[in-house]
Amino acid sequence: MAEYKIKANTQRIPLQDHIPLNTPLRVFLETSSICNFRCYFCPHGVSSVNNAMINMIMPFELAKKCIDDIKLFPQKIKLLTLSTVGEPLLNKKLPEIVAYAKQSNIADNIDLVTNASLMTHDTADQLIASGIDRIDISIYGLSKQQYEKNSSVKINFEEFVNNIRYLYQNKKQCTIVIKICDAALKEENDEQRFYTFFSDICDRISVESIVPIWYGLEYDFQRVDASQNIYGKQRITKNICPPSFFSLEIHANGKVSPCCQDWKHLLIIGDAKTESLHQIWTGDKNYHHRILQLKQGRSTIPACADCQYPETVVIDNIDPYREMILRRFEERKI
């Protein structure tokens, strides 16, 4: 029986005691920016902005180059995540990317987030054999009809559940995490049905709230709750975005952002095709992005001003330590 626990890691170091970091804690490698779902709360599902997205599969050679770059950091990173705004299983080279990263020993853990609609028995076998440490599966309905309503896709729900069961039964070292958005639990007894379907075929399970996390989207607040975070708690206003101080996002085209929410590529601080990730991490563009937040707040950065991710998803809060962190950054620059 699965443990009921939120998907986020709650065992976190106190960031204020460690930043500036000479090595990111987490690197996002966007193996695919394409998605086969059209969820109404995601840029992929909003027709007015979908055309602004850069939809592509990350080439294996670029992924390999990024993995090699991670070796250049002074320390091993904590987590390599092989997904962001797209569906990673669309990348046919995904198991090879996982295997190469594991063999390179660059991260304590390697994970990905998937809708699992493409999780065949063969795909599951390949991913497990590659050494993946964790697979997070997002559920968007409890029937074919609910999937069509929430994500505009038609799936064979029974086959979908059976494929996840196969993955769990053959998972070996891999942790399987399943979560559902509360917006999918609208019919009577849906929550109990969710646990009945999935609690015996995963290691961790939870229900998350649908909240506004993507900048540049106009949300229907009758369907999206802006008053709480994704874990159902009261949201806290944050003037500084913690992930930009401990993570890097490499988009499928090689462009690099300080944030995994930068779906429009408005915060580009480098290009992994022509620069090393270490150069980008320690470079002037990344430095100035963080200094601007520390001095003036993220509201002065157009994309960040409209982003609610730090308040709706991120657990860390470094606002109370702004002056101390700013002093450290300025001393290191000198």
Side-chain angles (χ1 to χ4, degrees), residues 177-195:
V177 179
I178 290 181
K179 63 90 176 174
I180 195 170
C181 55
D182 57 359
L185 303 175
K186 294 301 184 184
E187 298 179 14
E188 187 177 0
N189 298 322
D190 265 358
E191 186 166 355
Q192 185 56 51
R193 289 174 63 226
F194 167 62
Y195 294 125

Side-chain angles (χ1 to χ4, degrees), residues 37-321:
F37 279 22
R38 294 293 180 265
C39 303
Y40 64 84
F41 46 82
C42 172
H44 283 291
V46 180
S47 58
S48 61
V49 302
N50 184 262
N51 291 335
M53 303 189 75
I54 300 173
N55 291 308
M56 65 178 292
I57 300 296
M58 177 177 281
F60 177 73
E61 288 305 316
L62 176 56
K64 183 179 177 182
K65 191 265 183 186
C66 292
I67 292 166
D68 290 340
D69 278 358
I70 294 174
K71 293 180 185 178
L72 300 177
F73 285 109
Q75 283 88 41
K76 191 176 181 180
I77 67 171
K78 298 295 183 183
L79 181 60
L80 176 66
T81 296
L82 300 176
S83 56
T84 49
V85 71
E87 171 48 52
L89 297 188
L90 287 167
N91 190 324
K92 302 304 181 184
K93 293 287 187 178
L94 182 63
E96 293 179 52
I97 294 171
V98 176
Y100 187 77
K102 289 298 290 186
Q103 292 162 10
S104 300
N105 195 31
I106 57 167
D108 290 342
N109 289 283
I110 300 175
D111 73 358
L112 58 85
V113 180
T114 174
N115 60 45
S117 63
L118 303 173
M119 185 66 75
T120 64
H121 290 193
D122 183 56
T123 300
D125 289 339
Q126 290 183 54
L127 282 172
I128 297 304
S130 73
I132 189 82
D133 295 295
R134 172 169 154 164
I135 297 175
D136 285 20
I137 299 173
S138 299
I139 304 297
Y140 297 108
L142 300 176
S143 66
K144 172 184 176 181
Q145 293 75 20
Q146 287 185 358
Y147 262 85
E148 192 164 359
K149 178 181 179 181
N150 293 325
S151 302
S152 299
V153 293
K154 295 180 180 180
I155 69 169
N156 182 324
F157 187 73
E158 183 177 352
E159 180 181 355
F160 170 73
V161 174
N162 285 336
N163 283 335
I164 295 176
R165 178 175 290 107
Y166 178 88
L167 171 68
Y168 180 72
Q169 290 172 343
N170 296 275
K171 70 187 187 73
K172 297 181 181 177
Q173 78 291 333
C174 184
T175 298
I176 307 300
V177 179
I178 290 181
K179 63 90 176 174
I180 195 170
C181 55
D182 57 359
L185 303 175
K186 294 301 184 184
E187 298 179 14
E188 187 177 0
N189 298 322
D190 265 358
E191 186 166 355
Q192 185 56 51
R193 289 174 63 226
F194 167 62
Y195 294 125
T196 299
F197 281 137
F198 296 106
S199 62
D200 64 344
I201 56 173
C202 65
D203 299 296
R204 288 167 57 176
I205 194 167
S206 65
V207 176
E208 291 183 352
S209 301
I210 288 291
V211 295
I213 62 172
W214 302 102
Y215 70 74
L217 296 191
E218 293 185 7
Y219 286 93
D220 179 355
F221 289 108
Q222 292 184 339
R223 304 174 80 181
V224 176
D225 190 346
S227 68
Q228 61 184 9
N229 64 23
I230 200 169
Y231 314 112
K233 306 290 185 182
Q234 186 68 33
R235 60 186 292 174
I236 300 172
T237 300
K238 298 175 186 176
N239 294 316
I240 303 169
C241 178
S244 61
F245 289 81
F246 67 79
S247 67
L248 276 180
E249 151 85 1
I250 301 99
H251 299 287
N253 63 355
K255 301 296 183 181
V256 180
S257 294
C259 173
C260 62
Q261 298 301 110
D262 188 22
W263 66 276
K264 277 190 176 182
H265 298 196
L266 300 181
L267 301 171
I268 300 303
I269 56 174
D271 190 335
K273 296 193 299 293
T274 58
E275 304 168 84
S276 77
L277 295 181
H278 185 268
Q279 289 172 328
I280 296 169
W281 177 254
T282 58
D284 287 342
K285 289 183 179 179
N286 199 25
Y287 173 81
H288 290 302
H289 174 76
R290 293 181 284 189
I291 287 295
L292 186 57
Q293 288 194 66
L294 291 168
K295 287 185 174 180
Q296 300 180 32
R298 63 188 182 88
S299 62
T300 59
I301 305 170
C304 301
D306 188 33
C307 179
Q308 301 183 55
Y309 184 75
E311 299 162 346
T312 56
V313 177
V314 178
I315 294 176
D316 312 286
N317 183 7
I318 58 175
D319 278 16
Y321 312 98

